[in-house]
Amino acid sequence: MLSRRDIFKYLAGGGVGVGTGLLLGEVNQRPLETLLSTHIPPEDFAPGMDTWYNTLCRMCPAGCGISVRVREGRAKKIEGNPGHPVNRGGTCSLGQASLNALYNPDRLRSPMRSDGEGGFVESSWDEALEAIAPRLGAMQSAGMGGRTWILTGGFLSSGEEALDKFGEALGANILRLGLDTPATELAAAKAMYGFSGLPHYDIGSADLVVSFGADFLGAWRSPVGYSKAYGEFRQGGDGHRGYLVQIEPRMSLTGVNADEWLPARPGTEGALALALAADLLGRSGPDAASVGWEDLPGALSLDEAAALADLPAERLRELAERLATAKAPLVLGGGAAGAGANATETLTCVAALNRVLDAAGTTVRPNLAHAPRYSALSEIEEFVAGAANGEVSLVIVAGVDPLHDLPDSLGLRGALDRAELVVALDSFPSDTASAADWILATDTFFETWDDDISLPGTGKLSVTLQQPVQKRLYDTLSVTDIVLRLAQRSGGALAEALPYQDAEAYTRSEWAAAWTNLGIQDDFDAGFRQVQQQGVWVADLAEGMADQFSDDAPAPAAPSGPQFAGDASEYPFVLHPFQTPGLREGKGARLPWIQELPDPQTSVAYGSWVELNPSTADELDLRDGDVVEVSSQAGAVNAPVLRYPGVRPDVIAMPLGQGHQANGRYAQGRGVNPASLLAARSDDITGALAWAATRVALRKTGERVRMTKTSGVSRTLGRQILGPDDEH
Amino acid sequence: MSTIRDKLREYRTAGYYTEFEYHWTMAVDLDRCTGCEACVVACQAENNLPIVGEKLMRQGREMKWLRIERYWDGEYPNARLNFIPMLCQHCDEAPCEIACPVFATYHNQDGLNAQVYNRCIGTRTCAVYCPYEVRFFNWFTYTWDEPLEQQLNPDVTVREKGVMEKCTFCVQRINRAKDLARDEDRRVADGEAQPACAQACPTDAIVFGDRNDPESAVSRKLEDPRAYSVLEELNTHPSVVYLKNARKPLAGGADDDHHGDESDSRASREGARPTWERGHDPRSGPALREGETPSLQTQQADTVA
Amino acid sequence: MSIGVFEAARSVIKGLIIAVLAIIGAYIGHWAHGAILNDYTPVQPIEFSHEVHAGENEIPCEYCHSWAGRSATAGVPSVETCVGCHKGLTEVRDKPDVVKLFDYWERGEGIPWVKVHDTPDFVHFRHKPHIRGGVECQTCHGPVEEMARVTRRVDLNENLRMPWCIDCHTEEDVANGRDCLTCHY
């Protein structure tokens, strides 16, 4: 049956099989892996083990202390530094994602020179410094330093101090830019508490918090620090549960978590606060004598205020009752309430309410008397006018992105175009850097030295040290390094003012000088080493270091009514731009983890949207995903509609932070930037940009898009997912 | 053969272990939770979760072991939004463990619901069985734009196409803590093993620890009268326990309109003590009843015609 | 020409038999590749001899692989460690591989050693617990002190495959030694 021929066939089949198996085995070998030895290991090198460095998070001005987990010389994970007084071990989504900035594929890897046609070519530090320093030297010797403008942010750090010294020695102008600056809050604290600094709000020990627009759990000032306090406020050890009332036109993350959300008409917050203060003064409750005011002339009655703010009078009376009976009340003001045309007046009334409640001095306390400085709109206008007249020779943009973050209506783009030479110090090709002649690639905060005075603080003086946690990935320098090198190369007063070799030497000398000034006589090296380990240096505010609150401020005047750029008949809606916890003013957009993070309230990722009250949307026949054109006096953008039950019908809300024209693959061309809609309107008193004082119109385009949104059914449908119903 | 069949039946029984060496448990205080999503990014960073991109995210293929779910209550101006962090509940009687044909998901001696990537063959049955919708399938081998891959955690496997994955309670951190404890010949102390989400949480809403230790922070949380489990009526005995938000319910806002046909499940809840108090017979098997409860919010993106 | 149904069926069966034999053969071949033939001896950038260092000179393993008892990875010595000894050993300074070493040293580079004992990425083998448990280095790595060029010997450790791990964990009654999450996470 089995022929010889068949046997050969079978054998051949089997043989081919064995061969194939052997080959498969060979192909399936695990790929060759190499084990690279170190040349000289750093003293803290431990393969397969974690090394932790305490340093500073620079993603926002809050200045949280972080511990970075480093493995084999690469930063792997951010944790909060439990010993840091601001964040006490907590972090936020943006801080967690900051590693995306370090390892971002679109980070600049060397200095770049504009090719004049919108592109950039790689260059070297020698070439870059040589293109700038001689110009500085010439300006310096000719006494023309005023033709240089330095655009920077508002950190209180040694690095900013170096820029200050640099600008001073040169005689240059410095603009401190930011959209949501504390300028109006500082003015109000000065007016009501007689205190020149940002007060410390002790949310944790309050039993009632009333917040006028301050989204302190989301993106306002120091969200992590306030969140830590909020945890204690809600479920503290002593068993009391604090009560939170949020008054704002659009439900922010804080509004979501509040016990009561009161959608007051934008711009009426001051009148509300004053009416509450007057009502409390009228009662025998809070000690009228301590505040020194008999009554508050110009204050509305609660009913009148309720009508003005479009709130039920009943709710306002309840709130007054709560305030009158609370043991440790605290009133906050900020966000959009601190960014209207009457912002300073509004926040002054809020501060006055704190004084009437005797909160000033208890739950609102003096902090470090050290005010961050911010430029008023008029100074920015001065710069723009100077550029138009050809009086600006050099612009140095240090780590800020005003072309994205600030309204187009300020005319900054035109000013940068007209300036002779624009040098951007940035780690990314941001919108502003992309408009520069040179981009000097800077380190991320993981790679260099600096520090930060915690503001808003902790009631203590705490300075966080920023130190490199790993080697530089690319051919970059820190802003301080660049400033020092430019100063050295330019010679003259500049070189004298900044005689330091690098950022490390400079930072150490600043600390040594500060400690000497404070009369700390300890061994500096040992002390500094300890700070390097702990990541932060905390001192109780010694007598005289903190201004005390004075209690002789006169009663506040009635705030002026809400005012907006744009006529109500033409532009029926008030635009409410807001920051999300991840994107903030725009720093989060380049980080893929943040782009992919659903917005807390709406679950939208990867884009922009326009929040409309469902009733408004019904009136305009708009469904989720319908693209509308939002237009103001200043400009227009198109974005899809999202029906949001937490926004007033006469307000539309849009998230800030997207709509970058550059800034790498994750940010570029994604979403729209509501800052481009904002009119160049300022707060009446401080002159700070009023970013919540613009009216807009809506137009249905007929286009429709599918938003990237993760949540489906948004009701529990009786499933008791949020806990068993109490009433059953 | 019969022994194999017996063994199979034994392993197939949810709650295979009569007692756990450690009983890792998480308590989430919804009164503290603000929905800020720091935990979501912390989880992504710790566990090498891929960046799937806008297109896949729109298709509902987001990879987030921990997500914040949002539930609205009422209408403007009495609208209220509630957040609840949702992650693998590490059920002591997990439906997914019964489902897997290759035992790639099972319960271990520490009360963890394990997912073994190298065993998983990608049938996705477990994801269908999971009532919490917290299992994620790798439809693709995801890559990182260079040099983002330098951030990857060397202690966590990078998964590839065809593998199911989910929250592990950061088992790499638990293992590290256990290793350090072994050095000193002691048990892991309370607070020593912290998953990334708990460590990041800025309001300390997430508490993690060993339920076997009556002194641990998480054991004390379980005694809170606000404690409950999500979808308790399914008898999955989750290791994630939520503490109900203590806000007063919205006046007239609770979604009364939707209470319709749930009298059945409410009846089963009445008289039921919380899961963590109830001693349960580990061999009894889960009391799943057909068509009892609609599943949670799904990962599907809204579809727009 | 016509082919009968029976004959057609026979040739199909024959084909099937060949296919089945081929598949069985492939299985045997693949097994043989892993189990018998696959000692693994890669060429290293420097012809470093463990036979000389660990064998003849009796340098303890942990002198160079100093992290084995403390960390997940044993670590390879830094170039500095090598040079530290070899600076004094002028009599071997001219050997070609020592010259190579000093070239690395002068260029400021690390040495790209090729991994010999490697596990897949989904296995989190940790040295520390094994050293703590008193496992000899040779139990897994073989008699390295006799190897001029390090070999992964399949007769000793079955290419570090999982059954081999589990056998030992079972014999030694390792705590949670057969729990998947001990190694796979």
Side-chain angles (χ1 to χ4, degrees):
Chain A
M1 193 71 197
L2 207 64
S3 70
R4 191 180 140 81
R5 205 184 159 96
D6 285 346
I7 287 176
F8 277 127
K9 273 185 191 166
Y10 295 153
L11 278 178
V16 167
V18 172
T20 316
L22 285 170
L23 271 175
L24 267 175
E26 202 59 38
V27 171
N28 275 342
Q29 290 266 44
R30 288 196 280 273
L32 195 100
E33 290 194 13
T34 53
L35 203 55
L36 186 67
S37 73
T38 51
H39 183 245
I40 303 174
E43 56 179 328
D44 44 9
F45 180 79
M49 287 171 86
D50 300 336
T51 319
W52 294 84
Y53 294 95
N54 284 330
T55 183
L56 165 73
C57 175
R58 288 293 287 263
M59 295 308 286
C60 84
C64 293
I66 51 172
S67 301
V68 184
R69 175 186 176 217
V70 178
R71 266 289 278 275
E72 280 100 30
R74 287 285 176 271
K76 294 290 180 189
K77 179 77 172 52
I78 309 287
E79 304 292 356
N81 177 357
H84 197 279
V86 170
N87 56 317
R88 289 179 279 166
T91 46
C92 67
S93 49
L94 183 60
Q96 282 288 346
S98 56
L99 286 173
N100 279 181
L102 173 65
Y103 298 122
N104 200 294
D106 299 315
R107 246 187 87 184
L108 298 168
R109 304 180 182 205
S110 69
M112 307 286 271
R113 178 166 43 83
S114 165
D115 61 7
E117 292 158 11
F120 283 88
V121 286
E122 275 187 29
S123 178
S124 68
W125 282 106
D126 248 357
E127 207 184 327
L129 297 176
E130 210 41 58
I132 303 157
R135 205 180 268 259
L136 283 168
M139 266 191 275
Q140 182 173 227
S141 45
M144 309 264 275
R147 293 176 69 91
T148 299
W149 288 75
I150 299 173
L151 277 49
T152 176
F155 281 90
L156 281 177
S157 69
S158 293
E160 286 294 318
E161 195 76 22
L163 268 176
D164 268 4
K165 287 180 181 167
F166 182 85
E168 211 174 288
L170 184 65
N173 306 288
I174 298 188
L175 284 183
R176 294 177 187 284
L177 304 174
L179 185 74
D180 187 14
T181 71
T184 51
E185 193 186 351
L186 285 165
K190 187 81 195 158
M192 266 307 119
Y193 310 137
F195 175 70
S196 45
L198 288 172
H200 168 54
Y201 302 108
D202 190 354
I203 293 167
S205 55
D207 65 346
L208 170 65
V209 171
V210 179
S211 162
F212 290 90
D215 180 18
F216 61 87
L217 297 177
W220 186 69
R221 303 274 180 274
S222 186
V224 180
Y226 294 141
S227 293
K228 273 275 165 189
Y230 172 83
E232 290 155 21
F233 166 80
R234 281 304 200 195
Q235 294 289 333
D238 58 353
H240 90 275
R241 181 177 184 277
Y243 194 85
L244 173 62
V245 181
Q246 185 80 1
I247 302 172
E248 59 189 0
R250 182 253 175 194
M251 193 188 273
S252 66
L253 195 63
T254 314
V256 167
N257 288 289
D259 296 276
E260 275 184 63
W261 172 68
L262 298 175
R265 186 175 281 150
T268 63
E269 294 90 346
L272 274 177
L274 200 63
L276 287 167
D279 184 73
L280 291 166
L281 265 187
R283 302 167 185 236
S284 51
D287 186 12
S290 79
V291 76
W293 306 329
E294 303 268 308
D295 60 349
L296 294 168
L300 303 176
S301 72
L302 287 183
D303 287 353
E304 289 167 335
L308 176 72
D310 189 23
L311 294 174
E314 187 52 38
R315 300 285 289 277
L316 208 56
R317 278 196 292 274
E318 272 173 35
L319 179 57
E321 193 57 39
R322 272 186 198 284
L323 282 166
T325 52
K327 288 194 192 79
L330 165 64
V331 188
L332 297 170
N342 60 357
T344 305
E345 293 166 274
T346 301
L347 296 186
T348 305
C349 291
V350 168
L353 181 53
N354 270 327
R355 288 201 51 202
V356 169
L357 289 164
D358 267 342
T362 53
T363 48
V364 185
R365 287 202 297 274
N367 195 20
L368 187 67
H370 209 86
R373 293 146 295 169
Y374 284 96
S375 300
L377 217 53
S378 56
E379 291 169 70
I380 299 173
E381 278 159 5
E382 202 182 310
F383 165 62
V384 174
N389 297 335
E391 290 161 6
V392 175
S393 305
L394 175 63
V395 181
I396 298 174
V397 189
V400 286
D401 190 5
L403 291 194
H404 173 271
D405 297 355
L406 295 183
D408 293 349
S409 54
L410 300 182
L412 281 167
R413 187 173 286 277
L416 292 187
D417 282 346
R418 285 187 201 97
E420 279 172 42
L421 185 71
V422 179
V423 181
L425 280 51
D426 211 320
S427 11
F428 282 84
S430 68
D431 289 15
T432 311
S434 303
D437 300 300
W438 279 91
I439 316 178
L440 306 187
T442 55
D443 301 327
T444 57
F445 61 86
F446 298 103
E447 299 160 303
T448 188
W449 293 84
D450 203 353
D451 52 37
D452 175 63
I453 300 173
S454 311
L455 270 183
T458 54
K460 291 176 175 173
L461 169 63
S462 62
V463 190
T464 319
L465 182 68
Q466 174 191 321
Q467 56 181 329
V469 302
Q470 67 165 60
K471 274 185 145 179
R472 289 187 167 112
L473 283 178
Y474 309 116
D475 185 17
T476 55
L477 290 173
S478 73
V479 172
T480 308
D481 283 322
I482 295 168
V483 166
L484 295 176
R485 290 193 188 193
L486 280 175
Q488 293 303 312
R489 285 208 184 208
S490 311
L494 275 173
E496 273 168 41
L498 294 163
Y500 307 99
Q501 197 202 340
D502 56 17
E504 180 179 4
Y506 168 74
T507 309
R508 287 180 71 97
S509 91
E510 286 286 292
W511 279 67
W515 281 356
T516 309
N517 281 344
L518 291 168
I520 295 166
Q521 307 295 333
D522 294 349
D523 174 14
F524 174 75
D525 284 330
F528 195 73
R529 209 173 305 127
Q530 201 182 355
V531 174
Q532 271 184 274
Q533 283 166 12
Q534 293 171 349
V536 64
W537 179 70
V538 185
D540 277 319
L541 287 183
E543 277 303 311
M545 270 201 59
D547 273 1
Q548 293 308 309
F549 283 178
S550 71
D551 44 15
D552 50 5
S560 51
Q563 286 173 45
F564 300 94
D567 188 51
S569 59
E570 200 180 340
Y571 299 104
F573 301 99
V574 173
L575 176 67
H576 180 92
F578 62 91
Q579 297 187 35
T580 67
L583 289 167
R584 306 287 170 97
E585 288 170 15
K587 260 198 168 171
R590 54 175 76 136
L591 314 177
W593 289 345
I594 293 297
Q595 285 290 0
E596 200 151 307
L597 185 68
D599 171 62
Q601 287 107 302
T602 61
S603 88
V604 178
Y606 279 113
S608 295
W609 65 95
V610 179
E611 283 174 11
L612 283 188
N613 186 292
S615 68
T616 312
D618 285 343
E619 232 167 78
L620 299 169
D621 190 25
L622 292 168
R623 288 178 299 163
D624 280 7
D626 278 338
V627 176
V628 288
E629 184 199 64
V630 185
S631 58
S632 74
Q633 288 177 336
V637 296
N638 285 5
V641 161
L642 186 85
R643 298 157 67 104
Y644 184 69
V647 63
R648 280 180 61 85
D650 55 356
V651 170
I652 70 157
M654 288 182 78
L656 290 159
Q658 298 276 26
H660 287 267
Q661 294 175 15
N663 219 355
R665 70 192 73 175
Y666 303 109
Q668 188 166 18
R670 194 176 292 291
V672 296
N673 183 8
S676 63
L677 295 172
L678 300 178
R681 184 77 168 86
S682 65
D683 167 50
D684 289 339
I685 293 175
T686 58
L689 174 71
W691 51 264
T694 302
R695 284 186 165 277
V696 290
L698 281 188
R699 190 177 61 79
K700 191 174 174 177
T701 61
E703 203 190 325
R704 202 161 156 67
V705 295
R706 210 175 116 177
M707 276 187 274
T708 309
K709 199 163 161 284
T710 58
S711 74
V713 181
S714 65
R715 303 273 164 168
T716 59
L717 304 176
R719 286 172 291 174
Q720 310 204 358
I721 288 161
L722 301 162
D725 290 350
D726 292 329
E727 58 267 36
H728 300 303
Chain B
M1 281 312 266
S2 72
T3 53
I4 289 179
R5 205 155 58 212
D6 289 346
K7 274 277 176 218
L8 258 173
R9 194 166 293 141
E10 199 180 349
Y11 284 128
R12 286 284 192 215
T13 309
Y16 170 63
Y17 287 90
T18 43
E19 55 186 52
F20 299 117
E21 279 180 45
Y22 292 91
H23 197 168
W24 300 115
T25 302
M26 180 181 284
V28 184
D29 190 339
L30 297 180
D31 208 21
R32 280 175 178 258
C33 174
T34 66
C36 73
E37 295 187 324
C39 48
V40 179
V41 185
C43 175
Q44 178 151 23
E46 175 73 16
N47 291 305
N48 298 340
L49 296 183
I51 300 152
V52 301
E54 187 178 11
K55 188 173 150 233
L56 289 183
M57 202 160 167
R58 202 175 290 177
Q59 294 170 358
R61 287 176 182 166
E62 179 199 18
M63 302 290 262
K64 292 272 157 60
W65 288 1
L66 167 59
R67 66 174 181 270
I68 305 288
E69 294 193 345
R70 11 190 108 60
Y71 294 102
W72 281 96
D73 216 4
E75 299 297 341
Y76 177 87
N78 293 316
R80 181 178 276 180
L81 179 57
N82 298 286
F83 291 126
I84 176 166
M86 189 49 64
L87 65 160
C88 173
Q89 305 281 305
H90 292 269
C91 311
D92 289 350
E93 301 194 1
C96 56
E97 291 169 15
I98 306 161
C100 182
V102 294
F103 307 103
T105 182
Y106 72 100
H107 230 63
N108 88 341
Q109 73 287 337
D110 291 349
L112 297 176
N113 174 264
Q115 175 69 29
V116 186
Y117 307 127
N118 40 323
R119 260 192 196 172
C120 177
I121 56 168
T123 66
R124 314 196 314 276
T125 321
C126 53
V128 178
Y129 274 47
C130 176
Y132 302 96
E133 304 267 337
V134 289
R135 292 182 153 268
F136 300 89
F137 186 67
N138 285 277
W139 290 96
F140 306 96
T141 296
Y142 297 99
T143 54
W144 280 259
D145 292 338
E146 217 178 329
L148 280 170
E149 85 288 347
Q150 295 198 22
Q151 183 274 331
L152 291 176
N153 185 353
D155 293 343
V156 175
T157 307
V158 176
R159 284 79 59 187
E160 54 183 35
K161 182 163 78 177
V163 172
M164 189 61 73
E165 62 180 66
K166 59 153 202 93
C167 161
T168 63
F169 268 175
C170 285
V171 63
Q172 67 280 6
R173 292 175 174 222
I174 294 174
N175 281 355
R176 196 186 308 150
K178 283 167 83 174
D179 182 54
L180 292 176
R182 273 289 284 280
D183 281 348
E184 296 165 20
D185 201 22
R186 57 173 172 84
R187 280 176 71 82
V188 176
D190 191 29
E192 229 180 333
Q194 286 294 309
C197 52
Q199 195 169 9
C201 181
T203 59
D204 300 318
I206 305 177
V207 174
F208 182 82
D210 177 16
R211 194 193 297 184
N212 283 353
D213 170 11
E215 296 302 309
S216 68
V218 75
S219 293
R220 287 199 299 274
K221 289 276 176 192
L222 298 184
E223 286 158 17
D224 195 301
R226 294 186 290 132
Y228 74 98
S229 317
V230 171
L231 301 184
E232 195 174 313
E233 61 273 25
L234 296 182
N235 287 326
T236 51
H237 296 212
S239 290
V240 179
V241 170
Y242 294 89
L243 272 60
K244 194 183 171 184
N245 197 320
R247 285 195 290 192
K248 265 197 306 198
L250 267 186
D255 51 6
D256 288 330
D257 308 350
H258 307 287
H259 273 241
D261 51 65
E262 46 129 21
S263 51
D264 206 39
S265 59
R266 195 179 302 146
S268 76
R269 198 176 300 109
E270 264 169 50
R273 288 150 66 213
T275 354
W276 50 94
E277 285 177 14
R278 190 168 52 215
H280 70 274
D281 177 6
R283 314 277 157 165
S284 66
L288 271 174
R289 280 186 288 150
E290 272 177 70
E292 192 172 71
T293 304
S295 79
L296 286 195
Q297 191 170 1
T298 67
Q299 284 292 296
Q300 292 305 318
D302 271 3
T303 43
V304 173
Chain C
M1 189 177 123
S2 68
I3 300 173
V5 175
F6 180 69
E7 272 165 74
R10 216 168 62 166
S11 61
V12 167
I13 287 169
K14 236 187 243 173
L16 277 177
I17 291 173
I18 291 173
V20 166
L21 282 175
I23 289 167
I24 292 171
Y27 191 81
I28 292 170
H30 194 243
W31 170 81
H33 181 271
I36 301 168
L37 307 174
N38 199 22
D39 278 5
Y40 179 53
T41 318
V43 180
Q44 301 288 356
I46 290 180
E47 201 61 65
F48 173 87
S49 167
H50 279 85
E51 194 180 3
V52 172
H53 290 82
E56 289 169 24
N57 295 325
E58 293 181 353
I59 303 173
C61 307
E62 287 192 58
Y63 184 85
C64 297
H65 305 285
S66 53
W67 294 95
R70 291 178 275 174
S71 169
T73 46
V76 288
S78 64
V79 184
E80 191 189 26
T81 309
C82 305
V83 169
C85 287
H86 273 274
K87 253 194 283 195
L89 300 173
T90 43
E91 63 275 19
V92 295
R93 180 67 181 80
D94 296 330
K95 285 194 173 181
D97 285 293
V98 180
V99 171
K100 267 193 216 167
L101 167 71
F102 277 88
D103 286 349
Y104 278 108
W105 173 245
E106 273 147 30
R107 287 201 301 272
E109 287 175 6
I111 305 166
W113 300 106
V114 180
K115 269 192 180 180
V116 182
H117 295 86
D118 192 17
T119 51
D121 291 348
F122 53 80
V123 182
H124 293 274
F125 176 83
R126 288 170 290 160
H127 275 88
K128 184 183 154 187
H130 293 87
I131 304 280
R132 183 175 55 204
V135 180
E136 293 291 323
C137 304
Q138 283 80 355
T139 309
C140 305
H141 294 283
V144 173
E145 70 279 5
E146 294 164 12
M147 298 177 188
R149 192 188 275 176
V150 177
T151 301
R152 185 178 70 208
R153 273 172 53 183
V154 72
D155 57 324
L156 283 173
N157 53 27
E158 297 174 21
N159 279 334
L160 304 174
R161 279 173 206 278
M162 190 170 127
W164 184 74
C165 302
I166 290 292
D167 282 351
C168 186
H169 278 199
T170 310
E171 268 167 41
E172 302 293 328
D173 200 18
V174 176
N176 307 332
R178 289 193 294 168
D179 181 30
C180 308
L181 287 188
T182 301
C183 307
H184 303 297
Y185 47 85

